[in-house]
Amino acid sequence: MALKDVILAADPTPKPSGGTVDGLVNGLAPDWGPFASVGGTARTVIQAIMAAVILILLGRALIGVIHLKVGGSQHDTVQVKQGQKELAGSLVAAFIVASIGTLFTIVYGMGL
């Protein structure tokens, strides 16, 4: 067996399935755990709400960056602090919303 074959066999990196974007946005489209028993229409509504909230939070983070830039150029420390708070809060909230499917699955699996 060649060294290349050994390296490829030991590679734990997941391979893309079919070369589509489905694997990338699968976190926004939960269909496991408690979401498996939800109907198709309800699942679509959940996906749309999660995607909209993430887009709103990313827009809010962009506004925070604008506050940082403007405050920094005008030497306005209040505006810089406001921009930092908006940016940090928006990114943390976007992470929480993006991982909420996994959190629900963990809680559902524990039977809580």
Side-chain angles (χ1 to χ4, degrees):
M1 189 184 289
L3 180 61
K4 177 184 169 190
D5 295 331
V6 172
I7 292 173
L8 289 176
D11 185 16
T13 308
K15 304 297 184 238
S17 59
T20 64
V21 76
D22 292 337
L24 179 64
V25 295
N26 196 20
L28 293 177
D31 57 357
W32 62 89
F35 298 105
S37 61
V38 176
T41 305
R43 190 176 302 132
T44 303
V45 169
I46 291 170
Q47 294 167 4
I49 290 172
M50 288 173 73
V53 168
I54 287 177
L55 287 175
I56 289 168
L57 288 170
L58 291 178
R60 197 169 156 231
L62 183 63
I63 291 171
V65 169
I66 292 170
H67 280 284
L68 280 171
K69 286 293 194 181
V70 171
S73 67
Q74 295 177 354
H75 304 291
D76 185 1
T77 57
V78 174
Q79 195 168 13
V80 170
K81 287 291 185 188
Q82 180 184 1
Q84 287 175 344
K85 288 178 185 176
E86 275 189 30
L87 180 62
S90 297
L91 293 179
V92 167
F95 174 76
I96 291 171
V97 170
S99 63
I100 204 158
T102 304
L103 295 173
F104 280 160
T105 303
I106 291 170
V107 170
Y108 179 79
M110 292 171 58
L112 298 177

